[in-house]
Amino acid sequence: MALAAQGSVVPAYRLLEQAMTAGDGLAAGTLAEWRMAGHLVRRDIGLARDLFGRAAELGLREALPMHVALLASGAGGKGRDWAMARELLAKSASSDPQAARQAALLDGMTLTEAGDPAGLPRLEPLNERPFVARAPGFLAAEECRYLTELAQPYLQPSVVVDPVSQRFITDPVRLARSAGFPFVLENPVLHALNRRIAALTQTRYEQGEPLQVLSYRAGEQYKLHSDVLPGPVNQRVLTVLVTLTDDFTGGETEFPDLGIRWRGQVGEALVFANVDERGHPAPTARHAGKPVVAGTKTILSKWIRQAPLDISGPPGRPL
Ligand SMILES: O=C(O)CCC(=O)C(=O)O
Ligand SMILES: [Fe+2]
């Protein structure tokens, strides 16, 4: 580690490799993280997946969920191994309550062999252009409870994209807390839910930004805004929201130009398009999460891009 800090990345990497070969799980886990981050060495998610697996085999328990997550999603182009992800999860269920809960939730879903939903609730249209529709019963009550609880330790003040710098900033337009689940944190339950969202929206799983859970306490809100990104980018064509809790007042999602005010039952999804048929931003899709008056509103939010997300990482690393 000290060698890496001084810029001697290659010898540090080789030393870690040697340590891994000698049976050091922490060394394998460190190499996996380097491959994921792509800062010190080139990002290689497929290699990271194998290294997390090796680290777990060598006794580094923290590496197992990452290995399972990457097997489940196939992020990085190595191909998915859903069956192996389920098998490893089932194996760790006896000693790990998190894994046991995930396995039970998956057992409660009706899935194909590939982890896709075998059936879906019907979409009930609310508006034609831009397309807005709701799907009651999209998530089961225990799935909503799971997401709400899972998010608690990860909740951070929400950010927006600054139109000038294109960086994430906190802004009074969005007073709430949110938790994002990038693909290393995307356990098999989250992955199955992401595939369900892809199926509902007839998009590919790879088009989805990481799933987010948003939490608004009394007085918090997401002021009138559009979900599209500034500039010529891989645009956010669709948004999916799902109601996760109902013990709050206020907090409806309002589309002022469409005359829609939505407050779903627990598990109900709202799907809407942010662009028109030509893929251009649809101004009338603007919407607001109205201030919560009492209690805490918790929702799932997922932005879906026009094409698969680029997860290749920073370019130009030699090793
Ligand atoms: O909280 C809401 O009702 C709206 C959330 C939202 O607009 C978003 O996540 O993009
Ligand atoms: Fe939004």
Side-chain angles (χ1 to χ4, degrees):
M1 228 60 52
L3 280 176
Q6 287 163 21
S8 310
V9 172
V10 176
Y13 195 93
R14 297 290 173 233
L15 277 176
L16 285 167
E17 279 184 328
Q18 281 170 23
M20 174 174 71
T21 308
D24 184 341
L26 192 57
T30 305
L31 290 173
E33 277 171 8
W34 286 18
R35 284 298 179 196
M36 272 314 299
H39 297 307
L40 292 171
V41 295
R42 176 177 46 81
R43 174 178 274 188
D44 186 331
I45 299 170
L47 196 49
R49 163 168 140 186
D50 293 343
L51 288 164
F52 279 127
R54 186 92 188 93
E57 272 169 20
L58 293 173
L60 189 71
R61 293 180 65 93
E62 307 94 279
L64 186 61
M66 266 85 94
H67 184 223
V68 171
L70 294 175
L71 285 169
S73 72
K78 209 159 178 256
R80 298 175 59 219
D81 195 338
W82 178 248
M84 177 66 84
R86 292 284 305 257
E87 197 182 311
L88 289 174
L89 194 65
K91 262 195 211 152
S92 48
S94 57
S95 59
D96 174 1
Q98 291 287 339
R101 189 164 182 199
Q102 290 173 38
L105 282 160
L106 287 165
D107 286 343
M109 300 179 192
T110 315
L111 300 175
T112 67
E113 299 247 300
D116 288 306
L120 281 174
R122 194 179 300 281
L123 271 176
E124 299 172 7
L126 298 175
N127 195 68
E128 205 169 327
R129 271 164 221 228
F131 178 73
V132 184
R134 54 186 214 124
F138 176 67
L139 294 189
E142 63 267 25
E143 292 166 347
C144 296
R145 214 163 23 247
Y146 175 68
L147 288 174
T148 304
E149 289 172 19
L150 184 69
Q152 295 312 309
Y154 295 104
L155 288 172
Q156 296 283 337
S158 299
V159 292
V160 296
V161 180
D162 180 9
V164 179
S165 68
Q166 304 258 329
R167 287 166 192 248
F168 290 111
I169 53 165
T170 55
D171 188 286
V173 76
R174 195 175 178 199
L175 271 182
R177 290 172 304 149
S178 54
F181 294 93
F183 52 83
V184 269
L185 294 180
E186 190 179 305
N187 68 44
V189 169
L190 296 178
H191 183 66
L193 298 181
N194 281 328
R195 298 195 85 79
R196 198 185 302 172
I197 290 169
L200 183 74
T201 52
Q202 296 179 17
T203 56
R204 288 175 55 192
Y205 157 78
E206 290 80 5
Q207 287 169 250
E209 290 189 38
L211 184 152
Q212 295 189 61
V213 173
L214 313 184
S215 172
Y216 304 79
R217 293 166 294 200
E220 294 181 334
Q221 62 179 313
Y222 196 165
K223 288 185 187 162
L224 191 58
H225 68 279
S226 160
D227 291 343
V228 294
L229 294 167
V233 289
N234 180 9
Q235 196 49 271
R236 287 178 178 155
V237 291
L238 289 165
T239 301
V240 176
L241 306 177
V242 184
T243 303
L244 300 180
T245 58
D246 63 359
D247 50 349
F248 64 92
T249 54
E252 300 90 348
T253 308
E254 184 180 51
F255 297 76
D257 301 328
L258 307 178
I260 295 173
R261 250 178 182 252
W262 175 73
R263 174 171 176 156
Q265 305 275 320
V266 168
E268 178 169 324
L270 185 77
V271 179
F272 55 93
N274 298 303
V275 297
D276 63 22
E277 305 79 59
R278 290 175 304 161
H280 297 161
T284 57
R286 64 191 187 141
H287 54 277
K290 302 300 286 176
V292 168
V293 175
T296 302
K297 159 181 160 181
T298 312
I299 61 167
L300 174 161
S301 172
K302 177 107 173 158
W303 291 314
I304 298 173
R305 301 294 189 94
Q306 186 180 5
L309 284 178
D310 179 4
I311 54 170
S312 56
R317 291 282 167 193
L319 187 66

